[in-house]
């Protein structure tokens, strides 16, 4: 397959992705005033700026390593564009649209105001870090403090309490409206909705972390290998295929993963926290671990005078296998072996594995992606390297094993 045909296919796929994203944005309307959406918007803008910087810097690197002919200049532009495409947030642009409807509106709730009394559900809400205010003139067999209207104080509204009134507007101007909700119908339905909302946000953040862990090592690898004068190039068609692969994973697979078992025993997450400090540290450690592991086979192949297409195949095959094992690892906080058996019960995960294996075959059994077959023994080596790459995530889970979250999902 000629490079021109390669470029035509890449252009067609990119146009399809753009049209697909426009349709999603048009069909899935979101509340743009929500905090999480605003954080995501800032991240998208930052990544777009970074992609422009990456394009400029990679163009300089490509031009410095080529002649001044028109063909070489065009090739340098295409190569720089493919590198910048790595950091361009194609997946992230519509991730919020496909994840949320009205879930963010209730995922951070700290207080419920209701006219219903259900001691079991009230205890469940309390375990979730939520206090319940009951507005009713009825007498209930409960230890919850009951007060008259004239006894209302702001500090009492942060605890379980019953106010002897049927006026639902009585404390409207006293409560924190951002973190309070009126539930005047079915408390049980709201509890299930709250669980779904927390789980949706949890999986949404998981999707963002997956995208960072996926693409940060790729962009680091490019600059690292370029500085060391390794002949690293990212084929434009390959990058677009990988983008499609990660779009499928982040927007359709990860968002439907089972919720953590401790989802309803956590305190409400503060609205001003996007990704916590501890999570950020772990994310950086995992990304650098993947970065180092990803480059070792490639560098060894080049140092041993192996063909460049062979080194590329090792690099991309290892990249896909890391994606597969990382996805299995984050299915739950059980160890990866248990998660492998759990994954076999999910049709969507099985389809994802088949797609991943198909992509590995595409990389290994043709040369239009500047790749070639690496053989079964090297595939097994890639699996072993992949296990090392995700070891930090497994160690983090092991450290949390004694908590509720770490026992079972």
């Amino acid at each position: 397959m000629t490079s021109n045909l390669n470029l035509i296919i890449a252009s067609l796929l990119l146009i399809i992705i753009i049209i697909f994203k426009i349709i999603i944005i048009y069909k899935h309307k979101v509340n743009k005033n929500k905090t999480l959406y605003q954080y995501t918007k800032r991240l998208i803008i930052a990544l777009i700026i970074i992609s422009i910087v990456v394009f400029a810097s990679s163009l300089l690197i490509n031009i410095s390593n080529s002649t001044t002919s028109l063909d070489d200049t065009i090739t340098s532009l295409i190569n720089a564009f493919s590198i910048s495409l790595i950091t361009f947030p194609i997946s992230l642009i519509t991730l919020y649209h496909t994840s949320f409807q009205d879930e963010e509106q209730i995922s951070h709730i700290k207080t419920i105001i209701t006219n219903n009394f259900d001691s079991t559900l009230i205890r469940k809400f309390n375990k979730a870090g939520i206090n319940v205010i009951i507005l009713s003139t009825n007498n209930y067999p409960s230890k919850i403090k009951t007060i008259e209207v004239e006894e209302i104080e702001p500090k009492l509204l942060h605890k379980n309490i019953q106010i002897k009134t049927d006026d639902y507007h009585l404390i409207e101007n006293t409560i924190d409206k951002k973190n309070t909700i009126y539930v005047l119908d079915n408390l049980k339905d709201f509890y299930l909705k709250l669980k779904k909302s927390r789980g949706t946000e949890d999986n949404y953040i998981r999707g963002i972390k997956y995208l960072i862990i996926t693409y940060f090592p790729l962009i680091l690898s490019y600059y690292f290998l370029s500085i060391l004068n390794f002949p690293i190039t990212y084929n434009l068609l390959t990058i677009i295929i990988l983008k499609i692969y990660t779009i499928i994973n982040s927007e359709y697979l990860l968002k439907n993963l089972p919720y953590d078992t401790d989802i309803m025993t956590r305190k409400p997450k503060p609205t001003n926290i996007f990704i916590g400090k501890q999570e950020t540290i772990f994310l950086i450690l995992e990304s650098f671990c993947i970065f180092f592991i990803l480059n070792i086979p490639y560098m060894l192949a080049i140092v041993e005078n192996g063909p460049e297409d062979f080194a590329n195949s090792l690099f991309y095959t290892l990249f896909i296998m890391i994606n597969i094992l990382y996805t299995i690892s984050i299915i739950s906080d059980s160890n990866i072996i248990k998660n492998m058996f759990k994954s076999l019960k999910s049709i969507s995960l099985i389809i994802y594995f088949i797609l991943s294996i198909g992509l590995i075959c595409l990389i290994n059994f043709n040369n239009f992606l500047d790749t070639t077959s690496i053989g079964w023994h090297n595939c097994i080596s890639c699996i072993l390297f992949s296990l090392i790459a995700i070891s930090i995530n497994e160690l983090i889970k092991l450290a949390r094993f004694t908590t509720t979250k770490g026992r079972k999902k």
Side-chain angles (χ1 to χ4, degrees):
M1 184 175 288
T2 64
S3 59
N4 287 338
L5 188 53
N6 189 298
L7 186 59
I8 290 170
I9 293 173
S11 301
L12 288 173
L13 287 176
L14 186 57
I15 291 169
I16 290 171
I17 292 172
I18 293 170
I19 293 172
F20 181 65
K21 293 291 179 179
I22 292 172
I23 291 172
I24 289 176
I25 293 172
Y26 179 76
K27 287 181 66 177
H28 298 267
K29 302 297 182 182
V30 297
N31 187 340
K32 297 181 180 180
N33 294 320
K34 291 299 177 184
T35 305
L36 192 56
Y37 178 85
Q38 290 300 319
Y39 276 122
T40 305
K41 183 180 177 181
R42 291 172 201 164
L43 180 59
I44 289 171
I45 292 172
L47 289 172
I48 290 173
I49 293 171
I50 290 171
S51 67
I52 293 172
V53 173
V54 167
F55 175 80
S57 59
S58 58
L59 182 60
L60 288 174
I61 292 172
N62 278 276
I63 289 176
S64 65
N65 294 327
S66 63
T67 64
T68 56
S69 67
L70 180 61
D71 286 345
D72 280 353
T73 301
I74 293 172
T75 300
S76 296
L77 284 168
I78 293 171
N79 288 340
F81 177 71
S82 66
I83 303 303
S84 65
L85 200 59
I86 295 173
T87 54
F88 194 84
I90 294 176
S91 301
L92 192 57
I93 284 173
T94 55
L95 186 59
Y96 188 95
H97 293 74
T98 57
S99 297
F100 290 94
Q101 293 178 2
D102 60 350
E103 287 86 359
E104 189 185 348
Q105 188 173 349
I106 62 175
S107 61
H108 300 278
I109 290 299
K110 295 180 180 179
T111 300
I112 294 172
I113 299 175
T114 182
N115 59 347
N116 296 317
F117 178 84
D118 187 319
S119 58
T120 302
L121 282 171
I122 289 173
R123 282 195 294 271
K124 286 185 176 181
F125 283 123
N126 293 162
K127 285 182 179 179
I130 299 171
N131 69 295
V132 180
I133 299 174
I134 306 163
L135 301 180
S136 175
T137 56
N138 297 328
N139 294 316
Y140 299 108
S142 170
K143 294 180 180 180
I144 294 176
K145 185 175 182 179
T146 302
I147 64 172
E148 300 295 334
V149 173
E150 56 272 15
E151 297 178 273
I152 295 174
E153 295 180 23
K155 64 180 182 181
L156 295 176
L157 302 182
H158 298 288
K159 303 175 182 179
N160 289 340
I161 194 167
Q162 179 184 349
I163 303 174
K164 286 282 190 174
T165 181
D166 291 322
D167 183 1
Y168 305 142
H169 305 289
L170 180 67
I171 56 175
E172 256 185 4
N173 298 323
T174 311
I175 58 174
D176 179 2
K177 293 182 180 179
K178 288 184 178 180
N179 298 315
T180 304
I181 191 168
Y182 282 82
V183 183
L184 303 178
D185 298 317
N186 194 318
L187 279 176
K188 184 176 181 181
D189 287 346
F190 179 76
Y191 182 83
L192 296 175
K193 191 181 290 188
L194 179 66
K195 182 177 181 180
K196 181 177 182 293
S197 299
R198 287 188 174 188
T200 297
E201 183 169 334
D202 224 34
N203 284 347
Y204 175 74
I205 298 298
R206 189 178 295 176
I208 292 177
K209 288 161 64 178
Y210 160 78
L211 292 172
I212 293 171
I213 280 177
T214 297
Y215 288 116
F216 186 56
L218 278 184
I219 201 69
L220 274 181
S221 296
Y222 172 74
Y223 286 108
F224 175 73
L225 294 172
S226 296
I227 291 170
L228 295 180
N229 289 321
F230 281 90
I232 182 69
T233 55
Y234 288 144
N235 182 296
L236 179 59
L237 179 57
T238 306
I239 294 301
I240 291 174
I241 289 174
L242 292 180
K243 282 287 182 181
I244 294 171
Y245 175 71
T246 54
I247 286 171
I248 292 171
N249 199 358
S250 60
E251 293 196 33
Y252 299 99
L253 181 65
L254 295 182
K255 76 171 187 177
N256 293 315
L257 286 180
Y259 303 148
D260 287 344
T261 49
D262 72 335
I263 199 78
M264 294 305 288
T265 57
R266 305 176 192 168
K267 291 183 178 180
K269 186 177 178 181
T271 53
N272 63 339
I273 292 180
F274 187 39
I275 298 177
K277 290 182 180 179
Q278 188 182 66
E279 286 181 289
T280 302
I281 292 170
F282 289 152
L283 194 60
I284 293 170
L285 288 174
E286 288 176 271
S287 297
F288 273 100
C289 183
I290 291 172
F291 156 68
F292 285 118
I293 296 300
L294 198 56
N295 287 284
I296 291 173
Y298 177 89
M299 294 172 70
L300 287 174
I302 296 296
V303 168
E304 294 294 327
N305 296 318
E308 191 175 333
D309 56 357
F310 179 82
N312 289 338
S313 292
L314 281 173
F315 187 88
Y316 292 128
T317 300
L318 181 55
F319 175 82
I320 299 300
M321 288 184 174
I322 289 172
N323 263 264
I324 295 171
L325 291 182
Y326 181 76
T327 301
I328 293 173
S329 178
I330 62 175
I331 288 173
S332 79
D333 277 326
S334 299
N335 64 62
I336 192 168
I337 296 174
K338 287 184 179 179
N339 282 348
M340 285 180 182
F341 288 104
K342 289 180 181 180
S343 65
L344 297 177
K345 299 177 183 179
S346 170
I347 298 296
S348 57
L349 282 168
I350 291 172
I351 293 172
Y352 168 71
F353 296 148
I354 293 172
L355 176 66
S356 301
I357 292 169
L359 186 52
I360 290 173
C361 291
L362 181 67
I363 290 168
N364 279 269
F365 298 108
N366 72 81
N367 57 9
F368 68 84
L369 296 177
D370 297 328
T371 57
T372 188
S373 177
I374 61 174
W376 288 107
H377 61 291
N378 284 314
C379 282
I380 293 171
S381 297
C382 285
I383 294 173
L384 296 177
F385 274 106
S386 302
L387 287 169
I388 298 171
I390 64 157
S391 60
I392 288 183
N393 191 57
E394 289 298 305
L395 289 172
I396 292 169
K397 291 196 295 183
L398 182 63
R400 292 174 175 171
F401 186 71
T402 55
T403 66
T404 304
K405 181 179 178 181
R407 291 188 179 279
K408 190 184 290 184
K409 180 182 278 187

